[in-house]
Amino acid sequence: MKREYDLRRLRRRPGKARADKSAAKVAVGLRLDGSDLARLKTEAARRGIPYQTLLGSILHQYLNDDLVERKTVAVLKALHGTRAV
């Protein structure tokens, strides 16, 4: 990879850039309990990501039925008699 590139010869593509409006990020206002927000920020910091990214990921997982409650995992472990599910 070069250290520097000569960008003077670059040209714009004709037309406008297209984007899927349904895939665009949308700013929202949200009120959260202070202790929940503090725990969210702590967990995000532990993972090394912004807390908004973590919150968006949690919401995405929930809406796609990929989020599993800890109590459900505990029940499944007890039923299977093992520590791993």
Side-chain angles (χ1 to χ4, degrees):
M1 180 174 258
K2 294 182 181 180
R3 282 184 171 258
E4 294 182 17
Y5 290 90
D6 184 9
L7 303 178
R8 291 177 288 182
R9 294 189 294 159
L10 287 179
R11 296 179 190 207
R12 285 192 177 268
R13 293 182 182 173
K16 290 189 173 189
R18 291 177 286 180
D20 183 3
K21 292 182 182 180
S22 67
K25 300 281 183 174
V26 178
V28 296
L30 181 66
R31 292 185 176 274
L32 299 173
D33 184 62
S35 63
D36 290 339
L37 181 59
R39 289 175 61 196
L40 183 70
K41 286 183 176 183
T42 300
E43 179 62 20
R46 187 184 70 77
R47 294 180 184 206
I49 60 174
Y51 77 93
Q52 293 104 331
T53 302
L54 178 59
L55 181 57
S57 175
I58 292 167
L59 288 170
H60 180 79
Q61 290 174 37
Y62 175 79
L63 294 171
N64 288 297
D65 291 329
D66 292 333
L67 195 63
V68 180
E69 293 184 41
R70 289 180 182 173
K71 291 178 184 178
T72 303
V73 173
V75 168
L76 290 172
K77 286 180 181 179
L79 287 174
H80 292 287
T82 179
R83 296 184 53 91
V85 174

